[in-house]
Amino acid sequence: MSATLLESSGVSAFCGSIAIMLSAGVQTDEACHMLAEDREDTRFGGICAHLYRDVAAGKNLSEAMRASKAFPDFACDLTQIGEATGRLENVMRDLEAYYDEEDKIFQRIRASINYPAALLCIMCVILAFTVGWILPVFVNAYDSMSGSLTSGSFGSVQLSITIGWIAFGVTLACTIFVLAISFMTRSERGRERVIGMFERFPPTADALYQLALSRFTMALATNVATNVADEDALTKALATVTHPKLRASVEKAHTSMIDIDNPRSLAQALAEARVFEPLYARMVKLGARSGDLDAVLDSLSHTFFSDAVNQIDKAVDKVEPVLAACLTVAVAASLISVMLPLIGIMGSIG
């Protein structure tokens, strides 16, 4: 139905509203209908109306959300788990907090790169003007003075042209990259692509791993809370994992749990597969022994998410200085490309 996903703020608002209505005893179909009427003339209202029609026709909320193509896969997967385990209200509250924080993260990213991106755009125009109009003037001047020029003076012109084009190319590439990131973070589909790109970028890889770990732990806690078999809980939580490194670790844990010769408990499998760090793995083992595994996992989910947010904040804080440094280098290259021919001319005259 929907061509694009809802933004994180919209997903957060939807999940929070559903959670409030469920706590008040309102059925999911009626909740969707009320949200559709409240925002009748908006895209959000249209999506809620579509959900209401599907839920009223007998679909589960998760099925209707997936059919609308307006919600991220993780939100649909966790909603499905919440429905299957009878913890839909709790899941909706967790999703509300998760996507609200995600929206704040991407707002910070945009705020950090928009101003430097604007300056880089201006610098691109200046460099294009320099290499496209100013430097050719020097070349023509040198051609007319060729009889009195030394080879070193002519070389300074060629060097300035080379520096100018290199600076223009690098600055243009940086500008396109920064603008692409800025525009991609404005849509949920684009944000998923940015997350996938940052998963492979060393400075942000750890933060994105922690974010994926938070998602997995949240799903696992929801399943464990319903007292389903640990193997089934891990299987359902595994379905929500898209991070390649984490998925490999969880699959290893799952394999050790179903090993016929030497099966492991959930806590043992997660520890041996190094899904969690040793300290957190011990906490999971203690939670399993005390019967509070779901509470421990829920707490760890929030811990991992907070850690991921802190790491992303630190990475974002470094973005603006790096872009400012790129801008400074571009300005210096522009000045050098203009000054070198002048130095060459003065050397020839002298």
Side-chain angles (χ1 to χ4, degrees):
M1 173 254 177
S2 178
T4 57
L5 295 172
L6 276 173
E7 289 194 359
S8 298
S9 57
V11 177
S12 176
F14 173 81
C15 294
S17 299
I18 293 294
I20 291 172
M21 293 185 194
L22 289 175
S23 67
V26 180
Q27 298 296 318
T28 51
D29 58 344
E30 184 62 23
C32 292
H33 182 59
M34 292 170 66
L35 288 174
E37 285 187 331
D38 186 50
R39 303 189 184 183
E40 186 175 0
D41 297 327
T42 64
R43 178 170 177 265
F44 183 88
I47 292 170
C48 291
H50 182 272
L51 295 178
Y52 167 67
R53 289 192 296 270
D54 281 357
V55 174
K59 288 185 178 180
N60 292 329
L61 179 60
S62 59
E63 294 174 333
M65 289 168 62
R66 206 180 300 276
S68 72
K69 298 181 180 179
F71 294 88
D73 289 338
F74 176 67
C76 297
D77 292 339
L78 209 61
T79 300
Q80 183 176 2
I81 292 173
E83 289 175 322
T85 58
R87 290 171 53 86
L88 182 58
E89 181 185 338
N90 293 337
V91 165
M92 287 290 116
R93 293 194 185 281
D94 288 341
L95 288 174
E96 176 192 16
Y98 176 86
Y99 282 102
D100 179 62
E101 196 63 38
E102 182 182 87
D103 184 62
K104 292 177 181 177
I105 290 172
F106 282 105
Q107 283 181 4
R108 281 206 61 201
I109 292 175
R110 286 200 301 271
S112 297
I113 66 178
N114 281 349
Y115 178 67
L119 293 181
L120 283 172
C121 288
I122 296 172
M123 199 64 234
C124 270
V125 174
I126 293 173
L127 285 170
F129 180 73
T130 300
V131 299
W133 188 79
I134 295 179
L135 292 183
V137 171
F138 284 113
V139 172
N140 293 333
Y142 268 52
D143 287 340
S144 64
M145 298 170 60
S146 58
S148 60
L149 289 180
T150 64
S151 59
S153 300
F154 187 76
S156 65
V157 178
Q158 297 302 318
L159 179 60
S160 69
I161 293 173
T162 302
I163 291 174
W165 279 112
I166 292 175
F168 174 70
V170 172
T171 306
L172 181 61
C174 290
T175 303
I176 292 173
F177 176 76
V178 171
L179 289 177
I181 294 295
S182 179
F183 282 113
M184 287 170 68
T185 56
R186 295 179 185 276
S187 69
E188 190 62 33
R189 186 76 68 184
R191 291 177 183 184
E192 290 185 350
R193 293 175 182 172
V194 170
I195 288 175
M197 181 175 60
F198 285 169
E199 286 177 352
R200 298 182 292 274
F201 187 53
T204 56
D206 288 342
L208 271 297
Y209 180 84
Q210 289 294 104
L211 192 63
L213 189 58
S214 171
R215 287 182 168 192
F216 162 73
T217 311
M218 187 189 303
L220 185 59
T222 302
N223 281 288
V224 168
T226 60
N227 296 319
V228 299
D230 288 348
E231 179 186 330
D232 293 336
L234 186 61
T235 301
K236 293 177 180 178
L238 175 61
T240 68
V241 179
T242 58
H243 191 287
K245 180 181 176 181
L246 178 59
R247 186 171 185 86
S249 298
V250 177
E251 286 176 345
K252 183 179 178 181
H254 183 264
T255 300
S256 66
M257 285 188 70
I258 61 176
D259 187 345
I260 297 176
D261 297 327
N262 187 21
R264 302 291 197 275
S265 67
L266 176 61
Q268 289 176 325
L270 293 173
E272 292 177 4
R274 296 187 178 275
V275 175
F276 300 131
E277 294 179 7
L279 173 62
Y280 298 132
R282 286 195 291 270
M283 291 175 61
V284 171
K285 288 181 180 179
L286 290 174
R289 290 174 186 171
S290 64
D292 293 327
L293 181 57
D294 59 323
V296 171
L297 289 171
D298 187 60
S299 177
L300 288 180
S301 172
H302 289 91
T303 299
F304 296 146
F305 188 73
S306 297
D307 186 38
V309 169
N310 290 334
Q311 291 187 48
I312 292 172
D313 283 342
K314 290 179 181 178
V316 169
D317 288 339
K318 296 176 183 178
V319 169
E320 193 165 356
V322 169
L323 292 179
C326 293
L327 185 63
T328 302
V329 172
V331 171
S334 178
L335 291 174
I336 291 172
S337 65
V338 172
M339 293 302 297
L340 277 178
L342 293 176
I343 294 172
I345 292 176
M346 293 177 67
S348 298
I349 294 175

